[in-house]
Amino acid sequence: MKWINGHHELKKLKLFFLVTGLVVAISAIKVFVHWMQFEFVTLSTLLTSAIGGAIFIIGFLLSGVLSDYKESERLPADIRVALEAIHDDAVGFAEKCPNFKVGPLRTILGNILIVLQRGLGHEGAHKDLRPAILEIDKLTPMIAQMDILGMPANFIVRLRGQQDQLRRCVFRIYHIQSMQFVPSVYILVKTLVAAIVLLLLFLETEGSPGTALIFGFISYMFVYALYLIETLEQPFRKDHDSLDDVSLFLLREFGDKLDGYKDENLANRPVAGP
């Protein structure tokens, strides 16, 4: 348990260690530039204005990316609600209509979870959700079968509504994972960060520890913001050793619930005699 908690904390600090290493390398270059007397940029109000403008643009981009990230955090819960509703309505109908077998529907629901998590992993480049859409489409004949077997019309409408909610959530995840928020602004931010760091590298300084700390702090702020934007642009990054991705534990728990029904059916199956 202690090892798990320690690993959990290390995953939290992964981006911090990565950015800190880059800042240390940049600081070493700054020391070399100062030692070789290559500094030629003088501190002026123009430089401070440029830094302030860069901070504003980065804040604008972060606000847009964070809005998509916050929306993404709600999507697993919406998917879980839709899956639970479809499953419960099907189980209730199967109890009243023995001709309807709920097993195939559970298989489809389980396959939706499998291909969804696979598409959001390394195997699917974190955005291959077309197989998940195809699995959701397989619910259509199951709903049609329940309609033929006599399920009330209001329940059929409810099931089709839950299927549409599944499609809506998966399509939204597909779009967020595939599209970049204002690509031109992202390119602008990357060039601004590179320009600011270069200006700071060749800025005339005294070479004192205080100026070194200020240089390190400003570089850390810009580089960390750049990596943070890149990380948050794809909220679902399964198989990454990071805690910044949106958790799918609600869907995994539903998958465990479906597996429990399979185990229960196997336990209740009669054993063949000798």
Side-chain angles (χ1 to χ4, degrees), residues 220-240:
Y220 176 83
M221 178 178 61
F222 279 107
V223 175
Y224 196 100
L226 193 63
Y227 271 89
L228 183 61
I229 291 171
E230 184 178 355
T231 300
L232 297 182
E233 273 190 327
Q234 282 193 328
F236 300 91
R237 296 163 64 91
K238 299 298 105 186
D239 301 332
H240 270 270

Side-chain angles (χ1 to χ4, degrees), residues 67-259:
S67 64
D68 284 346
Y69 188 87
K70 291 178 66 176
E71 179 186 358
S72 299
E73 287 186 318
R74 296 193 295 267
L75 294 176
D78 293 339
I79 294 175
R80 173 72 182 268
V81 170
L83 293 173
E84 290 277 7
I86 293 173
H87 178 263
D88 291 347
D89 287 348
V91 170
F93 179 68
E95 293 176 353
K96 298 179 180 179
C97 180
N99 291 330
F100 176 74
K101 304 301 180 183
V102 75
L105 183 135
R106 283 177 177 155
T107 300
I108 294 174
L109 297 181
N111 289 339
I112 291 174
L113 299 177
I114 293 173
V115 297
L116 179 62
Q117 296 188 71
R118 184 183 302 160
L120 294 175
H122 287 309
E123 184 179 345
H126 310 297
K127 57 183 178 182
D128 185 16
L129 297 184
R130 288 171 293 182
I133 297 298
L134 294 177
E135 288 295 328
I136 295 174
D137 291 340
K138 292 180 182 179
L139 291 173
T140 300
M142 299 297 299
I143 297 174
Q145 181 185 0
M146 286 185 275
D147 189 17
I148 294 174
L149 292 175
M151 175 175 272
N154 59 326
F155 281 91
I156 295 296
V157 172
R158 169 182 162 87
L159 286 173
R160 294 192 184 278
Q162 297 300 332
Q163 185 187 23
D164 289 340
Q165 180 175 331
L166 282 177
R167 288 195 180 106
R168 187 180 304 109
C169 292
V170 174
F171 275 129
R172 185 58 181 147
I173 294 175
Y174 193 11
H175 183 271
I176 291 174
Q177 294 291 105
S178 303
M179 302 301 295
Q180 192 177 57
F181 176 77
V182 194
S184 299
V185 176
Y186 185 70
I187 293 174
L188 174 62
V189 169
K190 291 182 72 172
T191 53
L192 278 176
V193 170
I196 293 298
V197 172
L198 283 175
L199 287 173
L200 292 175
L201 280 175
F202 295 101
L203 179 66
E204 293 181 353
T205 58
E206 302 173 356
S208 62
T211 56
L213 288 174
I214 294 174
F215 172 81
F217 170 75
I218 297 177
S219 301
Y220 176 83
M221 178 178 61
F222 279 107
V223 175
Y224 196 100
L226 193 63
Y227 271 89
L228 183 61
I229 291 171
E230 184 178 355
T231 300
L232 297 182
E233 273 190 327
Q234 282 193 328
F236 300 91
R237 296 163 64 91
K238 299 298 105 186
D239 301 332
H240 270 270
D241 193 21
S242 171
L243 294 178
D244 293 320
D245 64 306
V246 175
S247 176
L248 297 180
F249 77 95
L250 288 174
L251 303 185
R252 288 193 293 269
E253 286 181 356
F254 184 72
D256 295 338
K257 180 179 178 179
L258 294 179
D259 291 338

